[in-house]
Amino acid sequence: MTAIAITEPGGPEVLKPESRPLPSLGDSEILIRVAAAGVNRPDVLQRAGAYPPPKGASDLPGLEVAGTVAAVGSNVSRWKAGDTVCALTPGGGYAEYALVDQSNALSIPDGLTSVEAAAIPETFFTVWHNVFQRGGLKSGETLLVHGGASGIGTTAIMLAKAFGSTVIVTAGSDEKCAACRELGADEAINYREKDWVDVVKQVTGKRGANVILDMVGGPYIEKNYQAAAIDGRIVSIAFLQGSRAEVDFVRLMMKRLTHTGSTLRAQSVEAKAGIAGELEEKVWPLLAQGKVRPLVHARFPLAEASRAHALMETNAHIGKIVLEV
């Protein structure tokens, strides 16, 4: 098969097509003939040498795919050859074939293309786990999302609105803010022009946000404490501006805040299966009904993965970037 390898740590240019043998099928795994693969920020970090794959995972980048089941392991009961699926992978998605445990795959929702389906797993698993499972967002509460125009951000907007929450986002341009509003955000703040803490307080009647999804870190950590409501939950999933900050923890006590976080890739197959089960029950019907739909900004041929990474590093995209195989 053709795969996109990281020839050495570096910029987008180190991503090169090469020939690889098909991966060996485990008893509980399915082999997917990949039609499309999502591009995510962890892929960029792995390419740069800053995010090594978990033990036992493929060294190829790519955390989500969509395609057709080509073969199944001896213990696989749910899937058969010919089924169309999308899946969360621990790596190896940038290839013509990818392996995944049967429990980490889901049927492609009715009405979605393979490109749209490939834009689902990484962001929908991440948002569901962090906003709804860890953050406990409820109908009627307010969610604040940083990076609202990213793949994670656009997904968080759509899911939070679908489940009855008010959504505030921050983004870096008026164009991105407008796109977030079109997706359903109740308020979109251009952080280059306004103090988003002040705006959050104004919009919420000084109550603050009940749940904050933060992928920025750095100085945002202290500001999140300022913007959070009493009994607020702050969930950190990345640190684009650094993982260290000076924070006044008095607010943590006085507001009874919960500050948690997670990574998805390193979690066990069983943990990911649990997320998949909830998504299938609660979110897949929304996708099939067209009430929620992944937003694809751009698509590139697999061989041009370097161009996809270059685009992601500009931060100009709104939604997901996908590779077509």
Side-chain angles (χ1 to χ4, degrees):
M1 68 176 185
T2 297
I4 302 298
I6 301 170
T7 55
E8 61 180 331
E13 70 281 355
V14 306
L15 296 174
K16 302 287 187 182
E18 65 176 40
S19 181
R20 290 264 185 121
L22 292 181
S24 299
L25 188 64
D27 292 343
S28 66
E29 292 179 318
I30 59 174
L31 180 67
I32 300 172
R33 181 176 178 85
V34 178
V39 177
N40 293 282
R41 189 72 59 176
D43 303 339
V44 173
L45 294 174
Q46 180 179 337
R47 187 208 72 220
Y51 190 37
K55 184 179 180 180
S58 170
D59 65 317
L60 299 173
L63 302 178
E64 58 186 348
V65 299
T68 305
V69 176
V72 301
S74 58
N75 292 338
V76 173
S77 57
R78 177 172 182 180
W79 308 108
K80 64 183 184 302
D83 288 341
T84 55
V85 297
C86 58
L88 184 73
T89 67
Y94 289 17
E96 291 180 314
Y97 290 86
L99 279 182
V100 66
D101 189 89
Q102 62 174 331
S103 65
N104 290 179
L106 291 164
S107 297
I108 293 179
D110 293 341
L112 266 64
T113 67
S114 57
V115 168
E116 290 174 315
I120 292 175
E122 173 69 13
T123 50
F124 277 69
F125 274 67
T126 296
V127 170
W128 189 260
H129 179 55
N130 289 287
V131 173
F132 294 93
Q133 291 184 333
R134 301 191 72 81
L137 183 68
K138 302 177 184 67
S139 177
E141 291 190 322
T142 296
L143 170 68
L144 170 62
V145 181
H146 297 304
S150 66
I152 295 290
T154 54
T155 300
I157 292 168
M158 291 185 283
L159 287 181
K161 291 303 298 180
F163 287 97
S165 297
T166 297
V167 180
I168 304 171
V169 303
T170 63
S173 72
D174 290 342
E175 177 190 10
K176 288 183 176 182
C177 286
C180 291
R181 291 190 188 96
E182 288 181 12
L183 288 173
D186 298 278
E187 182 69 37
I189 307 162
N190 185 338
Y191 63 79
R192 300 183 193 277
E193 297 180 353
K194 296 180 180 179
D195 184 323
W196 54 264
V197 173
D198 289 343
V199 178
V200 169
K201 290 180 178 179
Q202 291 168 11
V203 171
T204 60
K206 298 184 179 181
R207 290 185 299 275
N210 302 103
V211 177
I212 300 175
L213 183 64
D214 181 23
M215 61 191 80
V216 180
Y220 275 44
I221 297 173
E222 164 70 16
K223 297 181 76 173
N224 286 334
Y225 284 24
Q226 297 173 30
I230 300 295
D231 292 317
R233 290 86 72 195
I234 300 160
V235 190
S236 295
I237 59 170
F239 297 101
L240 296 177
Q241 291 188 18
S243 59
R244 297 176 182 272
E246 184 173 324
V247 180
D248 183 353
F249 285 107
V250 168
R251 291 189 179 89
L252 187 78
M253 294 190 301
M254 300 304 292
K255 291 185 174 183
R256 301 187 298 275
L257 302 178
T258 298
H259 189 171
T260 184
S262 76
T263 59
L264 180 62
R265 189 179 191 183
Q267 292 193 47
S268 68
V269 165
E270 293 76 17
K272 294 172 185 175
I275 302 171
E278 289 195 18
L279 285 171
E280 187 171 36
E281 176 188 353
K282 299 175 182 178
V283 175
W284 251 233
L286 299 176
L287 287 161
Q289 296 162 17
K291 293 180 179 179
V292 174
R293 201 171 190 96
L295 179 64
V296 177
H297 176 88
R299 57 186 76 186
F300 295 88
L302 178 66
E304 297 180 15
S306 59
R307 290 182 58 208
H309 275 225
L311 172 59
M312 175 160 279
E313 290 188 330
T314 68
N315 290 320
H317 60 291
I318 298 172
K320 295 282 293 188
I321 301 169
V322 177
L323 301 175
E324 291 186 277
V325 181

